[in-house]
């Protein structure tokens, strides 16, 4: 189509004046509006609608397409494990033992603005990561920046940044997201260096940005993961203080699948 080209291509089905209008919209970087207007020009029944209806359709189409483009860009950067996760009816199945009232309240994403942390814990296969990714999708739909990363990957990248003298840049990147999701917390070693790396990331986000921690281990057992008690106290104080909590201890969803 003409509006997809680098240079506008004359459409012989349209009048000269109509082609000029489309060309100008294209130059104004309103390509989606040009697309919608072209369809109106080509549809002989468009004139049955009044001006307000037609201009509203053009503006809304441009808006919706730009929002979709922004969402898709944010989704790619979020690196979700389940990019199509959603809150389906299975949440309400009794054997999943989920606090659906809390889940519904958290779907508003107001906790990201507060900002507060969210701790999701529970048994393996209970759907913790899927629920976490569904929260991410909800946040992305509101055009918030999100980053999903496994704890082990986060610490490996932090170590690499430290060895290449780019720790400051990496920490700033991790602190910039509206929501940072650290999955599989507890399935990693936390020696002194990793304690420091984790602390720097948690500290830069504390009271500034929301962080979601997903773990098979109960929060009461997290302290034992740290090789250094000082860092354990410092990190856990920032991670758990006033954080919302969600338990997932229902049936094994993998066995169901």
């Amino acid at each position: 189509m003409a509006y997809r080209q680098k240079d506008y291509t004359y459409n012989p089905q349209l009048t000269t004046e109509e082609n000029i209008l489309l060309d100008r919209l294209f130059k104004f970087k309103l390509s989606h509006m040009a697309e919608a207007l072209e369809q109106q020009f080509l549809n002989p029944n468009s004139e049955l609608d009044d001006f307000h209806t037609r201009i509203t359709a053009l503006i809304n189409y441009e808006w919706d397409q730009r929002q979709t483009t922004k969402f898709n860009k944010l989704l790619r950067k979020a690196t979700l494990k389940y990019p199509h996760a959603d809150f389906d009816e299975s949440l309400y199945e009794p054997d999943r033992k989920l606090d659906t009232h809390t889940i519904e309240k958290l779907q508003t994403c107001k906790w990201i603005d507060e900002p507060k942390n969210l701790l999701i814990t529970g048994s393996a296969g209970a759907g913790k990561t899927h629920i976490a990714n569904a929260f991410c999708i909800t946040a992305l739909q509101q055009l918030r920046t999100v980053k999903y990363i496994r704890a082990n990957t986060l610490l490996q990248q932090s170590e690499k940044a430290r060895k290449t003298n780019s720790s400051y840049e990496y920490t700033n990147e991790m602190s910039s997201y509206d929501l940072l999701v650290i999955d599989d917390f507890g399935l990693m070693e936390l020696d002194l260096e990793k304690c420091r790396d984790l602390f720097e990331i948690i500290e830069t986000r504390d009271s500034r940005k929301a962080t979601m921690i997903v773990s098979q281990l109960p929060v009461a057992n997290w302290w034992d993961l740290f090789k250094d008690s000082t860092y354990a106290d410092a990190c856990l104080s920032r991670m758990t203080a006033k954080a919302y909590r969600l338990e997932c201890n229902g049936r094994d969803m993998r066995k169901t699948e």
Side-chain angles (χ1 to χ4, degrees), residues 79 147-151 153-154 157 170 174 180-183:
T79 61
K147 182 66 174 181
Y148 168 88
I149 190 168
R150 295 182 62 246
T153 302
L154 177 71
Q157 292 180 357
Y170 184 74
M174 291 298 104
L180 175 65
V181 181
I182 304 176
D183 198 358

Side-chain angles (χ1 to χ4, degrees), residues 69-135:
T69 298
K70 290 178 182 178
F71 170 80
N72 289 333
K73 183 178 180 180
L74 291 171
L75 179 62
R76 288 192 298 271
K77 290 185 176 181
T79 61
L80 302 184
K81 183 175 183 179
Y82 302 117
H84 302 294
D86 61 2
F87 296 103
D88 56 31
E89 291 302 314
S90 68
L91 292 174
Y92 298 92
E93 294 173 1
D95 58 356
R96 294 202 64 184
K97 301 178 181 179
L98 294 172
D99 183 353
T100 54
H101 175 74
T102 294
I103 291 175
E104 290 170 356
K105 291 295 184 181
L106 292 171
Q107 284 181 54
T108 64
C109 292
K110 291 181 180 179
W111 57 280
I112 298 177
D113 294 328
E114 289 178 340
K116 285 189 177 180
N117 294 341
L118 173 60
L119 312 181
I120 302 180
T121 56
S123 55
K128 299 184 300 299
T129 298
H130 190 276
I131 290 174
N133 279 211
F135 281 126

Side-chain angles (χ1 to χ4, degrees), residues 20 68 89 113 130 142 146 152 165 179 191 221 234:
I20 289 173
T68 299
E89 291 302 314
D113 294 328
H130 190 276
Q142 298 176 8
V146 175
N152 195 45
N165 297 318
L179 174 62
D191 57 24
N221 295 353

Side-chain angles (χ1 to χ4, degrees), residues 166-193:
S166 56
S167 292
Y168 179 79
E169 291 78 5
Y170 184 74
T171 300
N172 279 347
E173 178 190 349
M174 291 298 104
S175 67
S176 66
Y177 296 103
D178 295 326
L179 174 62
L180 175 65
V181 181
I182 304 176
D183 198 358
D184 291 331
F185 185 77
L187 303 182
M188 73 290 179
E189 296 181 355
L190 280 173
D191 57 24
L192 183 59
E193 292 296 332

